[in-house]
Amino acid sequence: MEAQRLREVSTSLIRRMFEVVERAKKEGRDVISLTIGEPDFPTPSEVVEKAIEAIKAGYTHYTSNLGIEELRTAIAERYGVSKENVMITAGGSEALMNASLAFIEEKSRVLIPSPSFLSYFTYAKICKARISEVTTHDTNFLPEIDRISEMMGRDVSVIFLNYPNNPTGAVIDGRRVRAIAEIAMDCGAIVISDEIYDQIYYDKKPTSLAGYENVVVVNGFSKSLAMTGWRIGYVVAEKDLIDSMLKVHQVNGVCAPAFAQKAVVEIMHSGLFDQIVSRMVAEFRKRRDYIYNELRKLYWTVKPEGAFYMFLEVGKNCMEFAEKLINYGVAVTPGIAFGSGNEKFVRISFANSMENLKKAVERIRLFHDSETT
Ligand code: PLP
């Protein structure tokens, strides 16, 4: 019998969309998937080479729970903190789960901006907390400081923030995000700042909240080095917060894959990291410009400033829209996967080739025209 804490957790939406796409493919239809949540580039050959060397050198066992020291030090230097403030995890997701189990009190409130990455809702449910969603649709997908202030209280244990944002591509400015961290601090709440897309930005540089005593920064290399299958994430936080998360991590992820940790630190030491990231971001920028300029003619949206997603207001039920669009050969993610108020939105991922994006735009235009005439 399933435990009660999972009662409100569902996998049905993702399954339903997956099944619809699979069925269309089985029927031999050509469907371009704009649902992809990871860079479409292969893991850079430089990273692969370093990993092979690491495997041959014996990086194939457990590492310390906290991660290999060289990697913790290299990450700490990027943030201007000490290695005591860094713990390596098995991907960003494990880091989010550790932080959730460490800081979300049962029956407390968890503040989540809507739209947001689906997992935050799941973590809050697993921890048996109450969810308070902060609407951002009328403020270009950024949480208003006053709105957060009004919703805050001593019963809030955690606020999730994620900029650059999945699913909107919004990037928050430093003043606003720091104000939120301070409001949380005044109420004794922890901010879990998911900065996993921090390297993928086009206009303004995202601000990190690392260094605040009530903030856990979650990050990793899944997106920045196109290595989602390698499972390397990390947290940056005050030592006492790291100690609490270590209690979960020691029985949860235990450690991230040793050879993958070694490969990443070698890339950081070689000076190749920034070069690899800029190569990928230059390509994403071209696609962002193209897809934004084309699709804004059809639907309301906000120009993505980071990540590789765009959130479109399609004006009708998103499930119906997504299912009908499959018949035109394009798969998108329905907005209801990202919290309340998103029933008329869909997420487009531009982690796909320019050739496919051009075909997809043509198909969306045909669908749009058929619906409006
Ligand atoms: N946070 C956000 C906002 C994401 O979009 C994702 C993956 O899509 C993750 C975290 C998880 O990253 P990882 O693959 O490192 O677990």
Side-chain angles (χ1 to χ4, degrees):
M1 175 90 154
E2 183 172 278
Q4 206 241 324
R5 75 175 71 83
L6 295 182
R7 205 127 306 160
E8 285 179 39
V9 176
S10 149
T11 53
S12 60
L13 172 71
I14 296 161
R15 208 168 43 225
R16 181 159 155 203
M17 277 319 290
F18 182 77
E19 280 164 6
V20 172
V21 175
E22 282 307 294
R23 198 179 329 122
K25 284 186 180 163
K26 262 196 203 128
E27 287 166 7
R29 279 190 277 153
D30 157 34
V31 179
I32 297 170
S33 179
L34 302 185
T35 61
I36 299 161
E38 60 179 343
D40 53 311
F41 309 106
T43 304
S45 58
E46 297 93 326
V47 183
V48 173
E49 290 305 326
K50 300 284 186 201
I52 292 170
E53 282 168 25
I55 291 173
K56 287 187 176 159
Y59 281 84
T60 53
H61 291 97
Y62 291 132
T63 70
S64 139
N65 289 136
L66 290 165
I68 61 177
E69 238 177 83
E70 298 173 82
L71 179 57
R72 292 171 65 208
T73 306
I75 292 169
E77 277 166 12
R78 279 188 90 93
Y79 286 90
V81 297
S82 136
K83 73 168 191 306
E84 312 302 321
N85 302 116
V86 178
M87 179 169 78
I88 313 298
T89 58
S93 302
E94 199 235 333
L96 288 166
M97 187 68 180
N98 295 341
S100 300
L101 289 171
F103 305 116
I104 300 178
E105 276 295 355
E106 203 174 314
K107 299 199 176 79
S108 70
R109 268 191 310 129
V110 171
L111 256 51
I112 308 180
S114 178
S116 263
F117 182 45
L118 176 73
S119 301
Y120 309 147
F121 298 91
T122 307
Y123 298 129
K125 287 172 185 170
I126 288 176
C127 295
K128 299 174 81 175
R130 291 174 292 138
I131 297 169
S132 292
E133 294 182 64
V134 186
T135 308
T136 65
H137 302 85
D138 53 342
T139 49
N140 285 341
F141 300 129
L142 292 173
E144 279 284 284
I145 299 174
D146 289 349
R147 209 168 278 171
I148 297 258
S149 251
E150 277 162 29
M151 294 177 77
M152 268 312 285
R154 301 226 58 104
D155 59 339
V156 173
S157 56
V158 160
I159 305 182
F160 280 100
L161 295 179
N162 167 228
Y163 303 99
N165 179 262
N166 173 8
T168 64
V171 174
I172 200 165
D173 58 278
R175 187 188 63 84
R176 195 190 293 239
V177 79
R178 282 192 287 269
I180 296 173
E182 277 155 26
I183 294 167
M185 198 180 321
D186 289 345
C187 286
I190 297 284
V191 176
I192 301 180
S193 181
D194 179 351
E195 301 176 6
I196 197 105
Y197 295 102
D198 71 334
Q199 300 297 315
I200 305 173
Y201 61 91
Y202 313 108
D203 307 306
K204 54 180 183 243
K205 191 173 182 328
T207 305
S208 176
L209 276 183
Y212 276 86
E213 67 189 49
N214 62 325
V215 171
V216 174
V217 167
V218 170
N219 206 330
F221 298 92
S222 295
K223 318 284 174 172
S224 55
L225 291 180
M227 48 191 291
T228 46
W230 300 53
R231 313 312 299 142
I232 303 285
Y234 61 85
V235 283
V236 180
E238 287 291 300
K239 170 90 171 52
D240 58 330
L241 302 186
I242 295 273
D243 288 345
S244 303
M245 289 184 283
L246 179 59
K247 291 184 187 175
V248 185
H249 172 66
Q250 65 177 350
V251 293
N252 190 20
V254 181
C255 71
F259 66 89
Q261 292 190 54
K262 181 66 176 164
V264 168
V265 72
E266 288 301 321
I267 290 293
M268 291 176 89
H269 284 159
S270 68
L272 286 169
F273 180 77
D274 292 335
Q275 211 177 302
I276 293 172
V277 167
S278 353
R279 239 167 31 206
M280 198 160 62
V281 172
E283 193 52 41
F284 277 141
R285 177 190 296 279
K286 282 189 226 154
R287 300 169 183 186
R288 188 274 312 244
D289 290 346
Y290 171 73
I291 205 99
Y292 171 70
N293 285 328
E294 293 303 321
L295 294 184
R296 69 193 283 229
K297 294 176 196 158
L298 309 178
Y299 303 107
W300 180 84
T301 191
V302 174
K303 189 176 189 178
E305 295 186 321
F308 37 76
Y309 307 109
M310 188 162 72
F311 211 48
L312 297 177
E313 186 174 23
V314 293
K316 49 174 71 78
N317 178 288
C318 59
M319 285 305 288
E320 207 181 297
F321 179 93
E323 285 179 21
K324 280 192 183 165
L325 185 58
I326 298 267
N327 296 330
Y328 282 74
V330 180
V332 295
T333 310
I336 49 169
F338 305 99
S340 322
N342 302 310
E343 294 77 9
K344 293 191 172 166
F345 287 83
V346 298
R347 185 189 76 176
I348 299 272
S349 156
F350 47 91
N352 212 319
S353 68
M354 198 59 149
E355 191 192 342
N356 275 345
L357 292 179
K358 285 188 173 159
K359 276 196 221 160
V361 163
E362 272 322 300
R363 294 174 185 185
I364 295 172
R365 190 176 292 130
L366 269 178
F367 173 62
H368 172 270
D369 293 351
S370 77
E371 291 279 295
T372 45
T373 50

